[in-house]
Amino acid sequence: MSIRRLSTDEEGTTIVLVAMVLVVLMGFAAIAIDGAAAWALRRQDQSGADTGAIAAALFTADRTKAQAMQDAENEVIRITYSTMTPDMTAGEWAAEWAACTDPSKPAEFTETLGSDCISFSSNLDQIRVQTPVIPWKTTFAQAIGFNQIDTSASAEVSLDMSANGGVLPFGMPGDASDVNEICLKTGPNPSGVPPCDGPATGNFGFLNFTQFGNDALGTSQDCNPDTGTLTEAIAHGIDHPMGKATVFPAPPHEDRVACNDGNFNSRPYQVFTNTGNVAQALDDGFAGDGAGLDGKLGTGSNLIDVRGKALDNTPLWDYLTPSGKLFCAPIASPITTHDEMVACLALYKSSGSTAELFTPSIIAAPRWGWVPLFHEATLGNGTTPLTIKDFRAVYIQTTLMSCIATTCEVIWDPGEPATHPGPGKTNIRIEAATAIQLPASSLPEIARLSEPGSDTQVDYLLAR
């Protein structure tokens, strides 16, 4: 009887399995190595897109819209070539941009010039950069059929106006630069309440600023301003960046022309005074009466009722630092009145001090703002634009209501009782107000950096 043994010899199977596993492992390794390289290249693309978009935004300031778009596009191409270092010549890189398309860009990016992948919103307050697709040859992944990896990136930048009070539509003539307290009013009354006692040196003048259209402030473009535009500018500040002419006379750069050009980043430094009927604008702008908006003095958390108007009741001395209070001590300790605060600032100026008197929180105060100081010694008659020399920080101080000749029914300072309160009618109109000039050196650094007329007033934010 014979028994046949079945063969169980598996020699050679292990080698096949090892070979198969090695192929899989090499595939994973190839994907890992080339994938990591692709990720690094993608990050390089994103860095190039981010840098290019921000650079483009910076290149739109103080240029006409056409010139701004051209300069911004040139800068994007130049800086992305330098940042991304594609394997091609600068000319070939420019050709890639010319052929590039960006079908995914949002609807607000309506303006392009030479490249569909460098686009702008209609008023240039937003810029989008979509880098051309770059094919990168793989190294190890070619073994498993992946010969190249395509990378691209996009970035969007939005212009963000400083919300720190902004520029108010009141102008100071050049010879008012050293006046401690200045006045703005809607008409001839009051005529005997200093500093609002007539068209004396230091009085404010209303300015005919346009609106470029700022979504953040809720304004729409209006290049032919009227009383409603003035009211909004008092309540919210000017809705676009402003410039200043350090040399006078300077080449014209008028606010109205810049508005019509449509470039939000244009920084005009010339503006007309307002000579129209503005009797209600001050009351609407400060208290919001009848205008359907929040008045400048009607915001904040420290409101009190003043004859039917909810107005901010925070006095300037509330923003004094401990060292500021110490500096003011020779005048009064503590400072508790308008006159004492003005006297302290007069002492500050005469002493030549450069100490910071106020806390950073002052820039969030409803009464804080900037006003233009002009080269011209007078405010003119509204037929010739005035040229901005500088900007001065102010704190809106005294409110004067229902004024006739030399008297007002209410004269009120925040932090103090109102004079002439009486049992009179409510909801009387604000006809005049005073503003205290704040020396630049007395302000905290964050306030000084918010001064209009420079890049520090505008932030460029990467939106997505």
Side-chain angles (χ1 to χ4, degrees), residues 99-176:
C100 181
T101 59
D102 184 11
S104 300
K105 64 185 171 188
E108 61 266 29
F109 295 95
T110 58
E111 305 282 331
T112 59
L113 196 63
S115 174
D116 184 56
C117 289
I118 304 171
S119 53
F120 309 80
S121 61
S122 60
N123 58 10
L124 307 196
D125 68 335
Q126 297 182 75
I127 297 172
R128 175 178 168 87
V129 171
Q130 171 72 52
T131 62
V133 174
I134 301 177
W136 301 94
K137 292 183 179 180
T138 59
T139 303
F140 298 101
Q142 293 186 26
I144 55 173
F146 291 97
N147 296 323
Q148 69 180 42
I149 298 174
D150 296 337
T151 64
S152 181
S154 64
E156 295 172 15
V157 165
S158 296
L159 180 152
D160 180 45
M161 282 283 291
S162 170
N164 302 330
V167 179
L168 302 176
F170 317 128
M172 292 172 56
D175 60 357

Side-chain angles (χ1 to χ4, degrees), residues 5-219:
R5 185 182 297 274
L6 296 175
S7 174
T8 59
D9 189 359
E10 297 181 0
E11 290 182 8
T13 304
T14 302
I15 294 175
V16 173
L17 290 174
V18 168
M20 293 174 64
V21 169
L22 283 175
V23 169
V24 173
L25 290 176
M26 288 179 65
F28 280 125
I31 292 172
I33 294 171
D34 283 319
W39 182 86
L41 293 170
R42 174 64 176 75
R43 291 304 309 158
Q44 180 176 291
D45 284 4
Q46 189 62 60
S47 176
D50 292 347
T51 306
I54 292 174
L58 295 174
F59 263 70
T60 59
D62 294 329
R63 292 164 170 81
T64 64
K65 185 174 181 180
Q67 189 63 55
M69 291 175 63
Q70 183 64 72
D71 291 348
E73 183 173 284
N74 291 343
E75 183 65 3
V76 169
I77 295 171
R78 185 196 70 80
I79 206 164
T80 52
Y81 184 71
S82 174
T83 303
M84 297 167 61
T85 59
D87 187 19
M88 60 185 74
T89 66
E92 290 170 337
W93 182 237
E96 289 290 330
W97 282 99
C100 181
T101 59
D102 184 11
S104 300
K105 64 185 171 188
E108 61 266 29
F109 295 95
T110 58
E111 305 282 331
T112 59
L113 196 63
S115 174
D116 184 56
C117 289
I118 304 171
S119 53
F120 309 80
S121 61
S122 60
N123 58 10
L124 307 196
D125 68 335
Q126 297 182 75
I127 297 172
R128 175 178 168 87
V129 171
Q130 171 72 52
T131 62
V133 174
I134 301 177
W136 301 94
K137 292 183 179 180
T138 59
T139 303
F140 298 101
Q142 293 186 26
I144 55 173
F146 291 97
N147 296 323
Q148 69 180 42
I149 298 174
D150 296 337
T151 64
S152 181
S154 64
E156 295 172 15
V157 165
S158 296
L159 180 152
D160 180 45
M161 282 283 291
S162 170
N164 302 330
V167 179
L168 302 176
F170 317 128
M172 292 172 56
D175 60 357
S177 58
D178 292 327
V179 178
N180 290 325
E181 190 169 7
I182 41 191
C183 174
L184 80 99
K185 56 184 179 179
T186 57
N189 296 321
S191 58
V193 182
C196 294
D197 49 356
T201 296
N203 281 1
F204 281 102
F206 288 108
L207 302 176
N208 229 8
F209 279 108
T210 63
Q211 288 179 169
F212 280 32
N214 187 328
D215 291 340
L217 296 180
T219 59

